[in-house]
Amino acid sequence: PSNRRVNIMVLGEPCAHMCEQNRQLFLERFLPLAMTVVPHIYVITPNADDKIPNSSEWLVVKKNGVSTVKEV
């Protein structure tokens, strides 16, 4: 029901073990479709090529045990 809608989805390295073809399908088809249902999707990835069009990108840098977050 609409009053029990999921508002957030966190995907940790979803493309880590995918072949290139499946990775492209995931980024070009699955994520845009999922974004029509879930308003906030966070993709955590070390791969700079896993960018989602029209999305915000944050960079987390850890130095001397302290993490900082920057929007890029």
Side-chain angles (χ1 to χ4, degrees):
S2 61
N3 65 343
R4 295 187 56 118
R5 181 176 162 172
V6 174
N7 291 319
I8 184 172
M9 182 184 330
V10 178
L11 303 172
E13 297 188 37
C15 299
H17 298 286
M18 290 184 188
C19 67
E20 185 59 27
Q21 181 181 6
N22 286 340
R23 186 181 149 281
Q24 287 300 322
L25 287 171
F26 178 84
L27 295 172
E28 294 171 8
R29 294 189 186 173
F30 173 79
L31 277 180
L33 181 62
M35 290 174 8
T36 65
V37 179
V38 181
H40 305 287
I41 298 177
Y42 297 90
V43 178
I44 302 166
T45 179
N47 189 349
D49 295 335
D50 290 346
K51 292 183 181 178
I52 302 163
N54 303 317
S55 66
S56 298
E57 183 178 347
W58 299 344
L59 177 65
V60 179
V61 177
K62 188 169 187 174
K63 184 175 181 182
N64 298 327
V66 178
S67 297
T68 57
V69 179
K70 300 177 191 175
E71 188 170 355
V72 243

